[in-house]
Amino acid sequence: MARPRPQKKAGQLLQLAQRSRQYVKQASWTKLALLAVTIPVLIVAVLFVFLFTGVMLGAYGPLPDAEELANIENADASSIYAADGPLLGKYFQINRVSVPAEAISPYVTEALVATEDARFFEHQGIDARALVRVAIRTVLMGDRSGGGGSTISQQLAKQLYPRQRYDRLGVLKMKLREMVIASRLEGVYTKPELLNLYLNTVPFGENAYGIEVAAGRFFAKPAAKLNLQESAVLIGLLKANTTYSPRSHPDKSTGRRNVVLFLMAKNGSITETVADSVAQLPLVLNYRRDNDRVGSAAHFRQRLRGDVQRALADIPHPDGRPYDIDRDGLRIYTTIDSRLQQLAEEAVREQLPRIQQSLAVDWKSSKEAPWNEAFWGVLKRSAHYRSLGAQGLDSEAILDELRKPRPMTIYDWRTGGPVDTLMRPLDSLRHYFTLMNAGLLATEPATGTVRAWVGGVDYRYVQYDHVSSRRQVGSTIKPVVYATAIQSGVLPCEYTAAAQVTYTDYDDYRPGNPGSKYEGAYSMRGGLSKSVNTVAVNLAVRGGLPTLAEKINSMGVEQPVQPVPSIALGTVEANLVEMNTIYSAFANQGRRPTGIHYLTRIEDASGKVLVQFEPPTATRQVLDEQTAKIATYLLAGVVNGGTGARLRSTYGIRGALAGKTGTTQDQSDGWFLGFTPKLVVGTWVGAEYPAVHFRTLSRGSATATALPIWGTFMKKVQRTKGLEAYQGGSFLALDEMTLALLDCPDYLDELPVYANTDEFAPDRAITARLRQFDREQIVDMVQDKRRRSNESARDYADRIARELEKEDHRQERRQERKESWVKRLFGKRE
């Protein structure tokens, strides 16, 4: 069949055009007007029916039914709270915290309605007047200042069921779908409920979802306490989160705030006078960003996450699924004191820059630092290096790639925060490899309750938790050495020579003292306060190394300790949790807590308690009370005149105080463990890898690293009002007999002949005589027979022993006389 020729087709079109013109000329104007209206309306109607049918059939996305809408659950962040109330941080995928309507300021809802949907209470999800306005003013006249036609219900539908992309008529399809969902929402929820759901759902920028998170982000307060101008600022953000951000664009935010205020006045929510007055106020923010890597106690919160997940493992959600810590809006309560936590973080931030600078100065004159070999080993194990290797690059090509500068954000130890810079990846890896870090743990001695936990510097860049990391503990283990020796029978005033000794039974182990000082002899107080290595090893061997190893484990170190002489100098590896437990035994009269405690309860989003953790009351006796009190006395000597004396002289810390420094080999680790009657605080300073260490003892000893952080923290604690629960107190007093046993010089130029030690301490014979009696008998006798001013320790002990023996003999004679009279009067009895 032949196709029509092009000339014929063009002719037909021309004829049609001529007929149309003729019809227009002949038709009346009313008929033409009717056609002009009817044809577009029919086209729009057909298009609407077609699209609406597609919406209802789910062609543009599934439509939720009433049951689904009634059970809408936003993914809510779980919140972690300090013992004194403040929010420490959150766990989330979407940073949202839903709150009830009564927990939202009325200004917020009034501003929302006035700005986004003035006739919200008059329509059922679709505002016909607004749609007509949009059609005439925005579409036909091109004036976009009149705003959109979406109601609050439609905007909520858009948030709950996000739009999909389509090639043609996509916006119109989605608008129709949102209208249907909005209408269904209006049938399920009341108007106040819709407002509450909306305010808990919408984003306010910077990954802050819901009014509660936005109020905390920009004004550091809950939504219930937002004032008029703050509410206007936040509602103004809904038009364009980035454009009107009060942090990034304060001028635009202020202008948008004023628009909201005048719309509220127009809507009758406030008067024009109030709007004018508030519009004159400056924009004032109290910005506080929080997320899973920013906020207080970030390292602690990551440890806590695992504990919460384990605690909820056997508790199902009401819908049968497991609880999701990132979505279910849990409320997690801890023992952390937010004030102590803040002071601890401040102490670390204030001291670490100085310590980092000291490391740089220490190696400034050296051609090459000793850790270069270790650095290359770490580099080759890094994820970046391995990923490049997986792409087929050889070592040289990888290094070439790592030497190419690129923009990056790194942690700057000088400012204690992030900095944008241009840096080679190789230099970035070296930067973190040599970065000095710190850990601080504050606990209560009787229960192990955690009050402050600082795992390191900025968690965004260094996730390794230095409270939990295990390192050699140095001289902080020496108090256990001395306590073990005391319990084995060594007297506090038995002098030990500082001379260097070779221990042939232990592979010729030969410990040394810093500065090669081996002169004189030390009492226990002197040896511990000056941290003399040779004295500590001597006491460890005399007290029994197997006994010492067992004692270290029983007091808190979890990994098995080998009975070798070097453990007396801290070759034992432990973390701050274990070391705080050990020092708790000294502070708590020989009883150590069974572990640390930091999680008190977990609630669901409605406040129902899911798990309750009672404060621990059980303790374990690891030292007899008298030994613990003597050890505390010795440790007090460390801060009153030994290696910890700067706590008094430099930091001005008052009251009862005891503690011990610890520096490991090559100054790789600095420790300070100390306690007051109310708190046990441990600090550690070092790099992530022990290969990075100080060159000199003067800059790298614990006295110069860990002690200043400890001192800064405790100084702040003592001078901060409201922390009386952690201030003051006193250690249990020693009785006069024990004080007599401790009354001897710390140091003698030479070791005295043992036969002539009477003026320093009782001899073993007197001690053995005293041990025949109960402690209560000795205490009663000491209270009755006070020490004379001119009486030596030995003479006083001998007198107490004689008085006790006399009393014992008198009791024996009384018993003999009693038995004699019974025999005389009543004869021999069975």
Side-chain angles (χ1 to χ4, degrees):
M1 180 174 158
R3 295 181 180 179
R5 296 177 181 179
Q7 294 86 352
K8 185 177 180 180
K9 193 172 186 178
Q12 291 174 346
L13 291 173
L14 182 61
Q15 290 178 2
L16 180 62
Q18 289 174 347
R19 291 175 182 173
S20 298
R21 283 197 296 271
Q22 186 177 359
Y23 178 81
V24 170
K25 289 179 180 180
Q26 295 175 351
S28 64
W29 69 269
T30 54
K31 185 179 291 187
L32 291 175
L34 183 62
L35 286 173
V37 172
T38 303
I39 291 174
V41 169
L42 286 173
I43 294 173
V44 171
V46 171
L47 180 62
F48 175 81
V49 170
F50 174 78
L51 294 178
F52 185 76
T53 302
V55 169
M56 298 306 293
L57 292 176
Y60 315 130
L63 285 176
D65 57 20
E67 182 179 358
E68 180 180 341
L69 292 174
N71 291 293
I72 289 174
E73 287 188 6
N74 281 322
D76 282 352
S78 292
S79 301
I80 305 104
Y81 295 96
D84 54 323
L87 177 72
L88 293 176
K90 301 174 185 175
Y91 302 125
F92 59 84
Q93 292 175 343
I94 296 176
N95 190 10
R96 177 192 287 115
V97 176
S98 297
V99 293
E102 57 269 21
I104 301 175
S105 168
Y107 290 125
V108 173
T109 53
E110 291 170 0
L112 174 64
V113 171
T115 306
E116 298 294 326
D117 191 355
R119 284 180 295 280
F120 173 72
F121 292 99
E122 301 171 17
H123 61 67
Q124 292 301 309
I126 302 171
D127 188 350
R129 288 174 57 184
L131 290 176
V132 173
R133 184 197 69 222
V134 171
I136 297 175
R137 186 172 180 179
T138 304
V139 177
L140 297 179
M141 301 177 60
D143 181 4
R144 297 186 177 275
S145 64
S150 293
T151 63
I152 287 176
S153 301
Q154 288 174 248
Q155 295 178 41
L156 176 59
K158 179 181 176 182
Q159 290 296 326
L160 294 174
Y161 300 94
R163 292 178 174 179
Q164 303 176 24
R165 294 182 178 273
Y166 292 92
D167 294 335
R168 295 180 180 179
L169 302 175
V171 173
L172 184 55
K173 294 174 183 177
M174 291 299 98
K175 283 283 187 181
L176 287 173
R177 180 170 178 263
E178 288 160 10
M179 288 180 184
V180 174
I181 297 174
S183 179
R184 292 185 178 184
L185 282 168
E186 294 271 354
V188 173
Y189 295 98
T190 65
K191 291 289 186 178
E193 288 172 342
L194 283 172
L195 289 175
N196 182 249
L197 185 58
Y198 179 92
L199 288 169
N200 280 319
T201 302
V202 293
F204 288 82
E206 299 188 5
N207 196 32
Y209 287 79
I211 190 65
E212 183 74 3
V213 173
R217 172 71 54 81
F218 295 104
F219 299 108
K221 62 172 60 173
K225 295 186 178 180
L226 290 170
N227 61 30
L228 174 58
Q229 73 144 330
E230 292 165 346
S231 300
V233 168
L234 295 182
I235 295 302
L237 273 169
L238 297 176
K239 184 176 179 64
N241 297 161
T242 302
T243 302
Y244 297 112
S245 169
R247 181 180 65 87
S248 304
H249 305 288
D251 292 339
K252 291 181 178 179
S253 178
T254 302
R256 180 61 183 168
R257 176 201 67 181
N258 295 345
V259 169
V260 173
L261 290 170
F262 293 129
L263 286 172
M264 292 178 71
K266 181 180 178 181
N267 199 49
S269 301
I270 58 175
T271 64
E272 290 187 6
T273 303
V274 170
D276 288 332
S277 176
V278 176
Q280 303 304 314
L281 297 175
L283 178 64
V284 179
L285 298 181
N286 187 358
Y287 186 82
R288 184 186 66 187
R289 188 176 183 89
D290 60 327
N291 60 42
D292 60 345
R293 292 195 173 191
V294 176
S296 189
H299 293 86
F300 166 77
R301 286 187 275 120
Q302 293 310 307
R303 171 164 176 143
L304 182 68
R305 172 187 280 272
D307 293 288
V308 172
Q309 290 172 334
R310 285 188 289 273
L312 296 175
D314 298 326
I315 303 175
H317 189 275
D319 62 12
R321 62 177 174 81
Y323 274 98
D324 187 337
I325 193 172
D326 292 313
R327 294 177 53 85
D328 286 336
L330 302 173
R331 302 174 187 176
I332 303 162
Y333 295 88
T334 73
T335 64
I336 295 289
D337 187 298
S338 66
R339 300 159 299 178
L340 291 184
Q341 182 67 30
Q342 179 182 348
L343 298 181
E345 292 175 358
E346 288 176 1
V348 170
R349 284 198 303 268
E350 289 173 14
Q351 290 295 332
L352 271 183
R354 177 192 58 79
I355 296 168
Q356 189 77 48
Q357 184 63 37
S358 292
L359 179 71
V361 172
D362 225 15
W363 292 99
K364 187 176 181 179
S365 60
S366 179
K367 294 181 179 178
E368 187 177 87
W371 52 74
N372 280 342
E373 183 177 347
F375 168 71
W376 290 111
V378 171
L379 172 65
K380 291 178 180 179
R381 295 192 299 272
S382 68
H384 198 170
Y385 189 98
R386 292 199 305 270
S387 67
L388 292 173
Q391 298 173 24
L393 278 65
D394 60 21
S395 297
E396 288 300 322
I398 292 174
L399 291 178
D400 288 341
E401 188 67 25
L402 294 177
R403 290 189 178 103
K404 295 178 181 178
R406 63 191 61 183
M408 62 178 68
T409 302
I410 65 169
Y411 173 79
D412 183 5
W413 57 264
R414 295 173 183 84
T415 62
V419 62
D420 295 327
T421 184
L422 187 68
M423 181 179 282
R424 304 186 306 172
L426 185 66
D427 294 331
S428 173
L429 289 167
R430 192 185 300 275
H431 169 76
Y432 288 109
F433 181 80
T434 58
L435 184 68
M436 296 302 292
N437 225 304
L440 185 152
L441 179 66
T443 57
E444 293 183 0
T447 61
T449 299
V450 175
R451 295 305 185 188
W453 180 306
V454 182
V457 297
D458 199 320
Y459 183 81
R460 290 171 293 180
Y461 304 97
V462 183
Q463 284 84 49
Y464 196 63
D465 184 4
H466 293 284
V467 169
S468 302
S469 64
R470 306 182 67 82
R471 299 291 284 259
Q472 290 191 358
V473 299
S475 295
T476 56
I477 205 67
K478 287 179 180 176
V480 183
V481 175
Y482 282 72
T484 304
I486 291 170
Q487 288 201 158
S488 71
V490 180
L491 296 172
C493 283
E494 285 188 39
Y495 284 85
T496 303
Q500 193 170 28
V501 176
T502 300
Y503 294 89
T504 57
D505 292 341
Y506 297 96
D507 298 326
D508 292 332
Y509 178 66
R510 188 176 175 82
N513 292 327
S516 299
K517 296 179 179 180
Y518 304 103
E519 298 81 14
Y522 292 85
S523 65
M524 282 195 178
R525 185 175 61 186
L528 187 61
S529 67
K530 301 303 180 184
S531 199
V532 185
N533 289 342
T534 53
V535 171
V537 176
N538 188 310
L539 289 171
V541 172
R542 286 161 63 190
L545 291 174
T547 303
L548 174 60
E550 182 181 350
K551 183 64 68 178
I552 292 172
N553 281 139
S554 67
M555 290 187 70
V557 174
E558 295 178 359
Q559 293 186 352
V561 177
Q562 300 302 314
V564 294
S566 62
I567 62 175
L569 304 184
T571 55
V572 176
E573 288 191 350
N575 56 37
L576 279 170
V577 173
E578 294 167 321
M579 295 307 295
N580 269 44
T581 301
I582 287 176
Y583 277 70
S584 293
F586 296 128
N588 196 40
Q589 296 83 56
R591 304 194 70 90
R592 53 153 282 197
T594 54
I596 58 172
H597 166 63
Y598 48 77
L599 179 57
T600 57
R601 73 181 184 278
I602 305 171
E603 298 177 356
D604 66 12
S606 66
K608 176 185 175 183
V609 176
L610 300 175
V611 190
Q612 183 86 33
F613 300 89
E614 296 300 328
T617 56
T619 56
R620 180 181 174 187
Q621 190 82 44
V622 291
L623 292 172
D624 66 68
E625 182 178 336
Q626 191 71 350
T627 299
K629 290 167 66 175
I630 292 174
T632 299
Y633 173 87
L634 299 178
L635 286 165
V638 175
V639 299
N640 290 331
T643 57
R646 288 181 60 195
L647 293 175
R648 301 290 196 192
S649 61
T650 302
Y651 298 95
I653 299 177
R654 309 176 301 275
L657 184 63
K660 184 72 186 74
T661 54
T663 308
T664 61
Q665 190 174 11
D666 293 331
Q667 296 80 238
S668 295
D669 306 271
W671 297 76
F672 190 85
L673 270 295
F675 56 92
T676 67
K678 306 293 183 65
L679 281 178
V680 177
V681 181
T683 55
W684 169 89
V685 173
E688 184 172 345
Y689 298 94
V692 179
H693 59 83
F694 284 86
R695 187 179 186 182
T696 62
L697 190 62
S698 60
R699 291 192 180 95
S701 70
T703 304
T705 59
L707 183 144
I709 293 177
W710 202 100
T712 301
F713 171 62
M714 287 305 298
K715 179 180 179 180
K716 290 174 180 288
V717 172
Q718 288 197 345
R719 298 186 180 184
T720 300
K721 292 182 178 180
L723 296 180
E724 288 77 14
Y726 308 108
Q727 301 167 353
S730 59
F731 298 135
L732 291 180
L734 291 165
D735 57 73
E736 290 194 28
M737 172 62 70
T738 305
L739 288 173
L741 293 172
L742 295 166
D743 186 16
C744 54
D746 289 349
Y747 174 80
L748 295 176
D749 290 332
E750 58 182 3
L751 186 67
V753 178
Y754 191 76
N756 297 325
T757 60
D758 290 355
E759 61 180 301
F760 305 119
D763 58 28
R764 291 182 183 273
I766 297 176
T767 303
R769 289 162 59 195
L770 287 170
R771 285 179 176 167
Q772 298 178 45
F773 303 97
D774 293 337
R775 182 177 180 279
E776 290 75 11
Q777 292 178 276
I778 298 174
V779 171
D780 290 343
M781 187 60 69
V782 166
Q783 292 176 348
D784 187 54
K785 307 289 184 181
R786 298 292 182 178
R787 186 179 178 185
R788 298 162 184 163
S789 58
N790 61 347
E791 194 171 30
S792 70
R794 180 197 181 282
D795 291 340
Y796 181 47
D798 182 58
R799 180 160 67 90
I800 293 296
R802 283 188 279 108
E803 292 293 338
L804 287 168
E805 289 165 349
K806 288 179 183 179
E807 180 62 28
D808 194 46
H809 291 158
R810 282 195 291 269
Q811 291 293 339
E812 289 180 358
R813 287 197 296 271
R814 291 194 191 100
Q815 185 62 29
E816 289 175 355
R817 286 196 296 270
K818 178 180 177 181
E819 291 176 355
S820 175
W821 279 106
V822 168
K823 184 177 180 180
R824 290 179 183 180
L825 294 173
F826 302 103
K828 188 174 182 180
R829 292 189 174 187
E830 292 294 333

